[in-house]
Amino acid sequence: MTRNREIHLASRPQGWPTEDTFRLVETDVPTPGPGQIVVRNQFMSVDPYMRGRMNDVKSYVPPYALDAPLDGAAIGEVVASEAADIAVGTTVQHGLGWREYALLDATAARQVDPGVAPVSAYLSVLGMTGLTAYAGLLEVAAMKPGETVFVSAAAGAVGSLVGQIAKLKGAGRVIGSAGSPAKVERLRALGFDAAFDYHDGVREALRAAAPDGVDVYFDNVGGDHLEAAISAMNLHGRAAICGMIAQYNATEPPAAPRNLALVIGKRLTLRGFLVNDHHDVRPAFVRDVAGWLRDGTLSYDETIVDGIENAPAAFLGLLRGDNLGKMLVKV
């Protein structure tokens, strides 16, 4: 416990990031001061929103600094503590991933019970990923029993949970798009009523899968998916805009959607959201998801890449859609 490895942002990418966007740096393991802890990270998350933080632009979260470690959700074991209420050996979740050892104020850590579920689950189905799916579908889009739900990037960490939660909450029909035949088959195994490979054409496939239209669209992609969803949505349809990964590496303005005028006549609601605005639903989320996991009615997938040195490759793989479910790095 003398040396620490962390991933720094070496340059700001123009378009798609590359391995050269990142730098592996070796530092000393930090020493905690009063009220602080040192965590040996076990797992860290890579997420699509991190691409936006690599740009030096104003947004809802500050951009990453050049020549400094990136950050993001992580979970690990406390190995040194100067905080009265967190003992060495405690498992905690926090926001300083992309490094082997994290120094943070104890108030920035949330203690979790590793006996309840595998610790990685606190970064996926029991963490922000799960809450994003739950709140976006039920609070933002206000899905009602019997409605038809369309989910883009449905084999990803959030989308795969959205589809299952929709079925568990009484959706009449759930449709998902994904990027390969194998992912389409996985969606069907998870209980989606219909699924298609978006490479075959989104508008046509969605029209065939939802002949009676779509009431709720959970958007992880934007672009042609959002355009197709607007065309397919029924009167008073609602779209929860979670992400637009199709545009994150674009260097030119997107061509779609070109049919936004339909929002008027159809009286659609397109609502962007951030999960941090919906912590009030956490008790209901924990109650429901814990119950579904116990009785086996909710499944979750994880794609795990081993080694902090491979975190950049994991992130680039996420942007390409290489993952099934949540993309994690085992530190």
Side-chain angles (χ1 to χ4, degrees), residues 252-320:
E252 299 292 334
R258 298 161 295 185
N259 57 350
L260 281 176
L262 293 177
V263 171
I264 303 167
K266 292 187 175 186
R267 285 79 118 191
L268 304 182
T269 298
L270 311 183
R271 182 179 170 191
F273 75 101
L274 299 176
V275 67
N276 287 336
D277 295 334
H278 297 278
H279 285 290
D280 58 310
V281 304
R282 180 176 286 279
F285 158 71
V286 171
R287 180 194 66 236
D288 283 349
V289 170
W292 293 330
L293 290 174
R294 278 195 302 270
D295 64 23
T297 55
L298 183 69
S299 299
Y300 65 99
D301 295 312
E302 295 176 341
T303 299
I304 297 177
V305 174
D306 191 48
I308 186 69
E309 68 277 9
N310 293 316
F315 177 71
L316 298 177
L318 172 76
L319 295 181
R320 291 191 302 266

Side-chain angles (χ1 to χ4, degrees), residues 128-173:
M128 287 298 180
T129 299
L131 183 59
T132 299
Y134 189 94
L137 178 70
L138 302 178
E139 292 290 307
V140 178
M143 188 209 83
K144 303 178 185 68
E147 291 189 318
T148 295
V149 177
F150 171 45
V151 188
S152 58
V158 173
S160 60
L161 297 177
V162 172
Q164 293 180 82
I165 293 170
K167 293 296 290 185
L168 289 164
K169 288 292 188 178
R173 185 168 176 80

Side-chain angles (χ1 to χ4, degrees), residues 195-219:
F196 60 85
D197 186 334
Y198 67 80
H199 294 104
D200 296 332
V202 181
R203 185 186 291 265
E204 297 78 9
L206 181 58
R207 187 182 298 118
D212 297 321
V214 170
D215 302 298
V216 168
Y217 172 46
F218 195 104
D219 189 14

Side-chain angles (χ1 to χ4, degrees), residues 28 66 71 96 101 179 187 206 211 265 269:
D28 292 329
L66 284 173
D71 59 62
L96 292 182
Y101 291 90
L187 294 182
L206 181 58
T269 298

